[in-house]
Amino acid sequence: MNHGTAGVKVVSILGEDYSIKAPAGEEQTLLDAALMLKAALADTKRKYPTLIGDRLLVLAAMNLCSQQIEMKKQHKEELDRYQEQVSATVDTIAKTINQG
């Protein structure tokens, strides 16, 4: 295994082979991404058995993007809640110090 150089991985999607060059140390991320896409494709194919080729690929990609947006939204809401808690705690501490 030669470290420091980009590795070319062959990823098979919908019967097509793609040679994708992964940046050094990112090979596993590339393989995980391919697995995630394949899972999304299989899932989409189950729901819409008549879809093939580009249409199937686009719908699967849209599903993945939607999930990504939802996760970001949830993450932001959690962050906002956390910020509020921190602010409230800081306010309480500030009041306590000011009274002292």
Side-chain angles (χ1 to χ4, degrees):
M1 184 80 188
N2 53 347
H3 289 287
T5 57
V8 174
K9 295 283 177 212
V10 175
V11 176
S12 182
I13 306 284
L14 295 178
E16 293 281 333
D17 283 351
Y18 298 91
S19 296
I20 306 174
K21 188 178 279 192
E26 295 293 316
E27 289 89 356
Q28 191 55 51
T29 304
L30 175 66
L31 294 174
D32 290 346
L35 279 175
M36 187 185 268
L37 181 56
K38 283 181 177 184
L41 283 164
D43 195 39
T44 306
K45 187 73 175 163
R46 265 197 307 277
K47 289 179 190 154
Y48 309 95
T50 57
L51 281 184
I52 54 167
D54 287 354
R55 288 172 183 272
L56 178 62
L57 202 51
V58 168
L59 195 58
M62 289 296 286
N63 276 337
L64 284 173
C65 292
S66 300
Q67 287 170 23
Q68 189 65 27
I69 290 166
E70 270 308 307
M71 278 165 53
K72 274 187 179 164
K73 222 163 38 182
Q74 282 173 8
H75 185 64
K76 188 185 178 329
E77 282 167 16
E78 282 168 24
L79 270 181
D80 289 347
R81 261 203 308 278
Y82 179 69
Q83 294 287 167
E84 280 167 24
Q85 286 172 349
V86 169
S87 297
T89 306
V90 170
D91 285 347
T92 307
I93 294 167
K95 282 182 191 135
T96 310
I97 292 171
N98 287 338
Q99 285 166 1

